[in-house]
Amino acid sequence: QSVPGKVPGSMYTALLDHGDIPDPLYRDNDVKYAWIGTANWTYSRPFSVSGEISQATQAWLVCDGLDTVAAVVVNGKVVGRSDNMFVRSAFNLTGVVQSGDNILAVNFTSAVSEALARVKNSPYDVGPDCPPPAQHGQCHVNQIRKEQCSFSWDWGPSFPTQGIWKSIYIDAYSNAIIRDISAVVQKVNLQWVVLLDVFFDVDLIREVTGQLNVTLADLNLSYSQQVTVSPRNSSIKLPLAVPTTITVPLWWPNGYGDQPLFNLTVSFTSGSDTSQKSIKIGFRTVELVQEPVSNRTEDGLTFYFRINGNPIFLKGSNWIPADSFQERITQKELFFLLGSAANVSINSLRVWGGGVYESEEFYDICDQLGILIWQDFMFSVAMYPVYPEFLDSVSTEVRHQVRRLKHRPSILCWAGNNENELGLRQNWFGTRSSFTLYYDNYVELYVKVIKSIVQAEDSTREYLTSSPSDGKESEREGYVAQNPASELYGDIHFYDYSVDQWNASSFQIPRMASEYGVQAWCNNESLADVFAPGDFSRYSDMVDHRQHHPGGNLQMEAEVNLHLNLPNSPDEKSNFVDFIYLTQINQAMSIRTQSEHYRRFQTRLHSDGRGLTMGALYWQLNDIWQAPTWASIDYEGRWKMLHYYARSFFNKYLVSPYLRPDQTLDIFMVLDQIPAAEARSADGRLFFYPVTSPDTLLKMGFPKDQIFKVASEVARASSGNVTISIYDYSSFNVLYTWRSPFDIKTTAESVFTKKIPDLLNESKCPGVENCLLSVTATDNNKAVLSASWLPLAYPKFSKLLPADLKITSVIQVDENTFNIQVSTNAIALFVWLSTVNIPGHFSDNGFVMLTPVTTVQFLAQALVSVDQLLAELHVRSVTDVKY
């Protein structure tokens, strides 16, 4: 049977579009249609070329991405093969393609069967062999260079795609053409230098001489040179120096400044032929600082990034593929997801090593929004083979991807893999009995091959062999540290579902947390298209099927039950919808607690060396299907409660209350979104402090026209007042208020403390179960910098009154903006607004109502009337859960 197929595309979407299969994401269709991934598929079509192309000295079929194992046949002749999803392939058509009609066929072999065949030829086990049964996945994905999560993951289904997943086209020429340009930007002795690489495809039998022209039009810079290229010397390197008399606007991460981008255009003319390529670059410096945190060597090393000389606290998340079928990811969807990240002050994302190197559109948007990218190479939670053909393929992949991406100002660093150093050291893959073998293979792949290529291609960024790792300490210990998750070096991944994640003392105090997370269900409205009515039950087969994390449903129940009462409605759907809501509360509060914990520790150093935490990247931003996962935005684009909370815990200025283990309320002010610099105390300890001197800001590279604005913001935020109010749940009245001035000298400081017994006595609060704390930080002009709240006892043990919430009015402000007034007769916790089918997000959600009336804005993504919005708008709070 033949069906029409789109390019870019895969066989799943071709079958779906043709009506041969239903929605692959519906119920358990990922298992029902597993046969699609184990069959072999062929893409074929006739094509016509002109006589000019068929007679050209060189004619090449260029495939930007074949997924994955394929033989390419033109007019019955195999012109080439591919077995790596992440490389561009070019196949010589000279003498094969003919004027007029031709036939192209790309014969794909099932990645599942190819992976199994490679295992059978392997002299030793390269684990893990198969995913846990809960994932309903396929085996041995580490044997092939393909999107690793396409065989399943603990947050996603198994869809081992085949297809032409990127562009395919013919290039014909008789001299030479520019195939790629790439560049890195450096600052050398106060002068900006663009180090440019130009890569040519050249006639195979002769040298070609032509004129190379380079322009940076926005800076009025140009360069011209006659060059000669040949099959042996097919690339040109040249530095383009920007005169020091030109003031270059700097590119900054989100929240620190603007993101100016400049067109860099390169053309090559030989005879009557001209080819041209353009890229956008930004001017910024990046450094990873790994230095002693104190005079004591046992205290370890720092681990943080400087951008333009400024220490940056990475506030962010982790990115996974936005769809199992890459061809369905639109630029609009990427703008929405990445824009939603920037909207909540995220300045960094880690492109996780089990997915794909993302599209040009993805990195374009990150460049525009100022989102720094920690870029993993695509190796994750596994050992990998190291036979010569595999390493050759990896070498081509790494070289191609670094050259493709290194010009982008958003690229922060390169990392060799996700969790493989930790997995090797901790025997996740059964490697202990032959540790030396697997250790040697690990070093061969990530150090001898990948590191050497990255350093040759990009001297401006750090290469880390793994995440997590101990950074320089891992390197010192032979690239596999005794404890790759040390809190004294590098980055950590933290997951422990047995601890109380609303209690900050449960967490580690690392240099950087590049992964940490808690599961929650997607919004119940997002399940409507993939669940049958009978599936809406906490214990249905489909609820179990959708949970790919072993034991995940029980873990979520235990976490919810620690802080909130579990629902007990006899109506199964109501019970399930209540449970979804409670899991989102737990996720939001858990990640809020942990994220604020990391931010508070950016200037503190414990006596045991822990502290100076300079990054918090929660797992994960986006979803790949409708299921319980760690994401803050579900697959349908609905923000979960966590994403609304990120707007507060990643706020430009953060007031952060928490309860210390000694039952002391401690309130911190954190100002890590302002220019900062490093200083050391007499004992060698490092800390960060705000920069207010215009001269210092000039030296750091701030444009002159931004200095007054930035310096005044620093002054505005570093001093002011905190107001702490105690509310009794029995009324809207404030029992007591404390006001305390603050004038902080570092970027994170405690500004108010009080023992809980003293707090209760002074406020006349009967007990922690009766009261809630509200905190507001204002500047000296009484403008609000940040606001927060804290229950003195978990809601499960609090004396909350039932809240009767109502939508009292909806007023349209403009075409897409609506003011929604909500009323309540009692203090309400975790007030949640939702719409059934109207896409958009609220200005706040999951909030606390301490007044009888509040107004929230809704920003609709589609045209909608007031009546339509009212008909679909719902509101609830935690006391609406049926017990």
Side-chain angles (χ1 to χ4, degrees), residues 804-816:
D804 183 16
L805 287 159
K806 290 184 173 64
I807 305 293
T808 51
S809 72
V810 174
I811 298 172
Q812 189 162 5
V813 178
D814 58 36
E815 189 175 70
N816 297 100

Side-chain angles (χ1 to χ4, degrees), residues 299-318:
D299 284 345
L301 302 176
T302 62
F303 190 88
Y304 66 94
F305 289 91
R306 289 192 197 115
I307 303 297
N308 299 326
N310 191 41
I312 302 289
F313 187 102
L314 300 186
K315 301 188 301 185
S317 188
N318 285 255

Side-chain angles (χ1 to χ4, degrees), residues 242-557:
V242 179
T244 55
T245 54
I246 295 178
T247 300
V248 180
L250 300 184
W251 186 97
W252 289 96
N254 182 32
Y256 284 81
D258 298 327
Q259 293 80 39
L261 298 169
F262 301 89
N263 283 312
L264 176 64
T265 301
V266 181
S267 65
F268 177 74
T269 301
S270 179
S272 60
D273 296 334
T274 297
S275 66
Q276 179 175 293
K277 295 279 185 180
S278 294
I279 55 176
K280 289 182 181 292
I281 63 172
F283 289 85
R284 63 102 184 90
T285 60
V286 56
E287 308 161 78
L288 174 58
V289 183
Q290 298 184 80
E291 298 175 348
V293 298
S294 74
N295 292 338
R296 304 192 318 164
T297 57
E298 61 267 30
D299 284 345
L301 302 176
T302 62
F303 190 88
Y304 66 94
F305 289 91
R306 289 192 197 115
I307 303 297
N308 299 326
N310 191 41
I312 302 289
F313 187 102
L314 300 186
K315 301 188 301 185
S317 188
N318 285 255
W319 176 273
I320 65 167
D323 204 293
S324 293
F325 314 111
Q326 285 285 317
E327 61 272 19
R328 299 207 303 199
I329 303 171
T330 64
Q331 187 177 49
K332 180 180 178 181
E333 181 182 3
L334 291 174
F335 263 116
F336 169 75
L337 289 170
L338 295 169
S340 294
N343 187 290
V344 298
S345 298
I346 281 175
N347 63 27
S348 49
L349 290 173
R350 175 170 167 255
V351 174
W352 169 76
V356 299
Y357 306 95
E358 287 295 331
S359 65
E360 298 298 335
E361 291 81 5
F362 173 90
Y363 297 103
D364 284 345
I365 298 167
C366 291
D367 286 345
Q368 294 164 24
L369 295 179
I371 298 177
L372 295 164
I373 296 299
W374 175 307
Q375 180 65 57
D376 282 2
F377 290 100
M378 296 301 122
F379 302 86
S380 185
V381 196
M383 294 290 98
Y384 287 84
V386 292
Y387 55 87
E389 294 83 359
F390 187 87
L391 293 180
D392 286 347
S393 183
V394 168
S395 297
T396 302
E397 168 190 330
V398 171
R399 192 171 290 109
H400 169 65
Q401 294 297 340
V402 174
R403 287 177 179 178
R404 181 173 82 94
L405 298 175
K406 70 180 183 180
H407 70 277
R408 296 188 172 278
S410 58
I411 298 293
L412 178 69
C413 67
W414 310 99
N417 63 72
N418 171 68
E419 297 185 351
N420 294 350
E421 179 186 347
L422 189 66
L424 174 57
R425 177 56 72 190
Q426 295 184 351
N427 195 39
W428 294 0
F429 319 117
T431 53
R432 184 168 292 149
S433 59
S434 302
F435 181 82
T436 301
L437 168 68
Y438 294 106
Y439 168 81
D440 289 345
N441 290 351
Y442 180 94
V443 173
E444 178 76 17
L445 176 58
Y446 300 112
V447 181
K448 295 181 180 178
V449 173
I450 297 179
K451 181 181 181 181
S452 63
I453 293 171
V454 173
Q455 290 186 332
E457 295 290 337
D458 182 7
S459 62
T460 66
R461 297 177 181 89
E462 196 78 24
Y463 169 76
L464 302 161
T465 49
S466 187
S467 176
S469 83
D470 288 352
K472 277 187 175 180
E473 178 62 18
S474 281
E475 188 172 337
R476 190 187 69 81
E477 295 182 37
Y479 296 97
V480 179
Q482 288 298 316
N483 177 18
S486 170
E487 296 168 79
L488 304 181
Y489 306 93
D491 63 318
I492 67 158
H493 295 181
F494 180 86
Y495 299 95
D496 187 344
Y497 306 112
S498 67
V499 302
D500 180 355
Q501 302 212 38
W502 293 26
N503 184 340
S505 63
S506 299
F507 305 120
Q508 294 178 313
I509 308 171
R511 303 292 185 237
M512 180 171 294
S514 56
E515 269 196 39
Y516 57 98
V518 170
Q519 265 200 336
W521 270 94
C522 63
N523 293 290
N524 63 283
E525 296 89 352
S526 296
L527 292 169
D529 292 335
V530 296
F531 269 18
D535 296 333
F536 283 86
S537 168
R538 272 169 64 193
Y539 305 108
S540 71
D541 290 342
M542 284 305 105
V543 163
D544 182 62
H545 177 80
R546 223 69 176 179
Q547 176 57 267
H548 278 201
H549 176 58
N553 288 335
L554 291 176
Q555 287 170 352
M556 281 192 293
E557 280 200 5

Side-chain angles (χ1 to χ4, degrees), residues 77-195:
K77 180 180 179 181
V78 176
V79 295
R81 299 180 185 275
S82 173
D83 67 352
N84 189 322
M85 179 180 180
F86 306 123
V87 302
R88 179 179 59 213
S89 302
F91 306 112
N92 195 343
L93 300 184
T94 308
V96 178
V97 72
Q98 59 194 25
S99 178
D101 295 336
N102 297 266
I103 293 289
L104 167 66
V106 183
N107 301 324
F108 289 97
T109 299
S110 163
V112 176
S113 59
E114 176 68 19
L116 180 60
R118 293 189 182 188
V119 166
K120 291 178 178 178
N121 292 325
S122 178
Y124 57 89
D125 184 56
V126 183
D129 294 330
C130 299
Q135 292 182 21
H136 313 290
Q138 302 291 350
C139 302
H140 311 299
V141 70
N142 53 332
Q143 292 287 337
I144 55 176
R145 295 310 300 139
K146 176 173 173 57
E147 179 183 11
Q148 299 291 277
C149 65
S150 67
F151 276 38
S152 80
W153 216 263
D154 61 358
W155 38 254
S158 173
F159 288 112
T161 47
Q162 297 167 42
I164 303 169
W165 77 291
K166 292 192 174 185
S167 299
I168 183 171
Y169 50 93
I170 290 175
D171 266 341
Y173 55 93
S174 295
N175 292 313
I177 61 170
I178 298 173
R179 170 58 58 209
D180 291 305
I181 60 174
S182 193
V184 293
V185 176
Q186 284 184 317
K187 202 168 192 180
V188 181
N189 297 326
L190 301 179
Q191 182 174 36
W192 290 105
V193 178
V194 181
L195 301 176

Side-chain angles (χ1 to χ4, degrees), residues 760-777:
L760 297 178
N761 287 335
E762 292 176 30
S763 66
K764 302 296 191 293
C765 173
V768 291
E769 68 276 7
N770 297 86
C771 296
L772 173 142
L773 188 82
S774 172
V775 184
T776 303

